[in-house]
Amino acid sequence: MPPKSRRSVRLASFELVPDDEPGTPDDAPPAPDDDPRVVDVLRARAAALWSRLAARWRRLSRRQRAAVAGATCLVLVGATTAVVLPGRLEERGDRWRAAAVAGLPGSVADLSAPLARTWDLDAGVDEGFGRDLGGDAEPAVALSDGGMVVTGRVTVAAIDAATGAQRWAYDAVAMPTCGPGQGGLDLVTARVDMVTCLDGGTQDRTAVVLDNRGVVLGSRPLGPVTDSRNRQHSEGPLVWPAADGTIAVVEQSSEVIVPMTEDTPGEKTLRALRAAGWEDPTLRVEDAITGEVLAEATVRLRAHDLAGCGVTETGGAPELSLLPSVSTSPSLTVLRVCDVAAAVTADGTVLDLPSNVVRTAQLPTGAAVLHGTTSTYLDDAGATVATAPGPGSLLQTDDDPDGPLLSATFMEGGSGTVTATDRAGGRLWATPVEGLGTVLARVAGTVVVSAHADVVGLDAASGRVLWTVPGVLDVADGTVTHHAGTVTDGTRLLVAVVDERGARPRLVALDLRDGSTVWEGSPGEGGFSWLFAVDGHPVYLAQDWTTVRGLG
């Protein structure tokens, strides 16, 4: 049977709207806000709207009601997520990246907001300590537990890198000098558990060994010696505090000067040097407490090595001068004469270094010996890890210190090339950079370099240019500026910028993902030499290189 047809029913729609207030003409001006008639009208309209919504809700089935309620919740959750989630994810990403670089060279906790000076060398210490340090304060070496050893006229003390507070103090006799390291930039990479100091009067120096709690482990009288604080007052051997409770001793420490009788110094000049009393110097590494000789290495100066020596002019006549110099670090003790060097590792191994040594440097993991055309990288035991072409870039901020070796080579006209080399010596990539200055950092897969006044980010895996930030190292009046250290929290890189006098310091925080400037500020009054990190805390050396200040 066919279905019965249903007669269509005409539906009437209407809206429940309350009548206008009686006696109110349509063209009358709106009533003031405090008119009770307006309040009554709004209240009536709201009641009518609520009645319609309630009626429609009652007509819905249970399933329809659940669907409407669920959709409403989804809208509310989505709106809340759109507002809150990006910020939460950003914060979580920052924490993850900070945790990934924690403890690595140049890492600090947080650079999301501008930093300000929180302490200087005299802050947080007792009055006597501040008075003893006076203007002769010198930062010496950073401890592995986050302290920094500083020396004054009659004080050796450790200060906390986070607060500047004194941890311990050793009462010295006079003008102590401590190591290993020469202070300054050695504070960036050197971290030690044991400190060796030279203390006492000019003719009666004493070697003293302290642990990182300030406990004296032992001492030994040395007599008259020459060191960094009394070089002009003693004719004794050259002595320098070295690693793991040792001292470096060079018997031949006086300068020898002879007239230049050749256009290029050679055999004739070398004979004149020997006739004037020159002897090839020997580096002797001794136990600072017992005097036991742990290693010896001699620099053999040959005629062709003299081309790397210093030439001076007195009264128009050129003279060639030779003076041995010693540098110490936790990994290496090095004796240099001109461009020839002899080195001893921390375990007493003597390294056979080729000539044309430009410099040696402590690294977070081992050391590097830079030559004119190559760079040799060593591990903590002094074993050769790799050899890379060109002068290596020694990064103070690096989240991959065991990764590819980075170097910067320069060409005429101001351009240069950044090169990445694997540990076997193979080239991974090479990227030309116009106006290349130096490699600043390697963090979060980005190699950051300076180029004229710009900062450029390169992909660490391929060398591809990711971003360029113009003018970071520039100032309005055209004064020459340069970078003065970097630190990172894994997301941002903080670059310190100063002029050629170390004045007008600026701190610029860049987002490593796109190079955008997060913030820019100043560390406060006074000059600026170098920014670095100690135990996760940003600190810097003042313009005179003898005052340490904290940032936070």
Side-chain angles (χ1 to χ4, degrees):
M1 175 182 295
K4 296 181 179 179
S5 61
R6 174 176 293 180
R7 186 178 60 180
S8 61
V9 178
R10 182 180 300 273
L11 299 178
S13 62
F14 58 90
E15 185 175 4
L16 298 176
V17 178
D19 295 333
D20 291 338
E21 287 293 319
T24 304
D26 294 339
D27 58 351
D33 292 343
D34 57 352
D35 192 331
R37 294 175 299 172
V38 176
V39 176
D40 292 339
V41 170
L42 295 177
R43 183 177 296 160
R45 290 180 178 179
L49 178 60
W50 179 253
S51 297
R52 281 188 296 160
L53 292 175
R56 291 180 181 180
W57 177 261
R58 286 192 295 270
R59 287 197 298 268
L60 296 176
S61 67
R62 182 177 300 177
R63 180 176 297 178
Q64 289 173 324
R65 292 179 184 180
V68 171
T72 303
C73 290
L74 288 176
V75 171
L76 293 175
V77 170
T80 304
T81 301
V83 173
V84 176
L85 185 59
R88 292 288 180 85
L89 291 177
E90 184 74 15
E91 292 175 2
R92 181 173 296 181
D94 285 357
R95 290 196 299 270
W96 284 343
R97 287 184 287 269
V101 301
L104 293 173
S107 66
V108 298
D110 183 25
L111 295 173
S112 60
L115 302 181
R117 186 189 304 175
T118 55
W119 59 265
D120 58 31
L121 197 61
D122 295 333
V125 299
D126 60 78
E127 182 181 358
F129 177 57
R131 183 178 63 253
D132 289 341
L133 286 175
D136 295 320
E138 291 187 6
V141 66
L143 298 173
S144 58
D145 63 354
M148 284 181 292
V149 174
V150 297
T151 60
R153 288 189 294 267
V154 292
T155 302
V156 176
I159 59 174
D160 189 273
T163 64
Q166 177 182 316
R167 289 186 172 184
W168 53 259
Y170 165 74
D171 293 329
V173 175
M175 301 303 289
T177 181
C178 300
Q182 278 67 56
L185 292 183
D186 286 333
L187 285 166
V188 172
T189 53
R191 300 289 184 270
V192 301
D193 294 313
M194 193 180 302
V195 180
T196 303
C197 299
L198 303 178
D199 181 26
T202 301
Q203 301 301 316
D204 190 21
R205 299 291 270 175
T206 297
V208 181
V209 180
L210 309 168
D211 67 11
N212 60 6
R213 298 168 299 167
V215 177
V216 177
L217 302 179
S219 62
R220 175 167 62 102
L222 301 177
V225 299
T226 301
D227 60 62
S228 63
R229 283 204 165 184
N230 69 339
R231 194 175 186 89
Q232 304 301 321
H233 307 292
S234 174
E235 295 300 326
L238 177 66
V239 178
W240 206 277
D244 295 333
T246 64
I247 58 174
V249 182
V250 179
E251 294 294 342
Q252 171 65 38
S253 61
S254 59
E255 186 175 22
V256 177
I257 301 175
V258 297
M260 282 278 293
T261 59
E262 302 172 287
D263 292 337
T264 301
E267 291 289 349
K268 186 177 180 180
T269 304
L270 183 58
R271 288 194 296 269
L273 284 167
R274 299 199 183 283
W278 173 260
E279 296 179 1
D280 288 337
T282 295
L283 169 67
R284 189 169 68 247
V285 178
E286 299 178 357
D287 186 293
I289 298 173
T290 66
E292 178 187 358
V293 177
L294 304 176
E296 290 185 320
T298 301
V299 170
R300 306 292 182 185
L301 196 63
R302 295 161 295 186
H304 67 268
D305 296 324
L306 299 179
C309 300
V311 177
T312 60
E313 290 193 9
T314 303
E319 296 177 331
L320 186 136
S321 62
L322 271 66
L323 179 65
S325 63
V326 172
S327 62
T328 65
S329 71
S331 295
L332 285 181
T333 299
V334 181
L335 168 65
R336 287 189 61 186
V337 179
C338 305
D339 288 341
V340 186
V344 177
T345 67
D347 66 356
T349 302
V350 177
L351 300 183
D352 182 18
L353 299 181
S355 59
N356 195 23
V357 174
V358 176
R359 62 176 292 205
T360 61
Q362 171 71 27
L363 299 179
T365 54
V369 179
L370 309 184
H371 313 288
T373 56
T374 61
S375 300
T376 302
Y377 293 83
L378 313 173
D379 61 18
D380 287 326
T384 298
V385 175
T387 299
S393 297
L394 309 179
L395 303 181
Q396 72 170 75
T397 303
D398 189 0
D399 70 353
D400 191 15
D402 296 322
L405 307 172
L406 300 173
S407 60
T409 55
F410 305 93
M411 295 171 284
E412 294 183 2
S415 62
T417 301
V418 180
T419 303
T421 306
D422 63 25
R423 297 284 165 155
R427 175 179 292 187
L428 299 176
W429 53 262
T431 301
V433 177
E434 183 66 28
L436 177 64
T438 187
V439 181
L440 301 178
R442 171 172 51 190
V443 184
T446 303
V447 175
V448 184
V449 304
S450 64
H452 290 313
D454 303 340
V455 174
V456 180
L458 308 177
D459 182 76
S462 65
R464 178 174 57 90
V465 175
L466 300 175
W467 46 260
T468 299
V469 185
V472 174
L473 306 179
D474 199 8
V475 292
D477 62 3
T479 303
V480 177
T481 63
H482 59 88
H483 93 282
T486 58
V487 295
T488 185
D489 64 358
T491 300
R492 293 156 286 264
L493 181 72
L494 183 62
V495 182
V497 183
V498 296
D499 65 18
E500 70 274 16
R501 301 182 304 275
R504 295 189 294 177
R506 290 186 293 120
L507 300 175
V508 183
L510 303 175
D511 192 311
L512 287 162
R513 293 165 292 188
D514 57 13
S516 59
T517 299
V518 181
W519 56 265
E520 184 172 344
S522 171
E525 297 180 357
F528 194 103
S529 291
W530 204 259
L531 170 72
F532 57 104
V534 176
D535 194 36
H537 305 288
V539 296
Y540 71 95
L541 293 171
Q543 189 174 8
D544 56 5
W545 292 90
T546 63
T547 300
V548 184
R549 295 189 172 114
L551 296 171

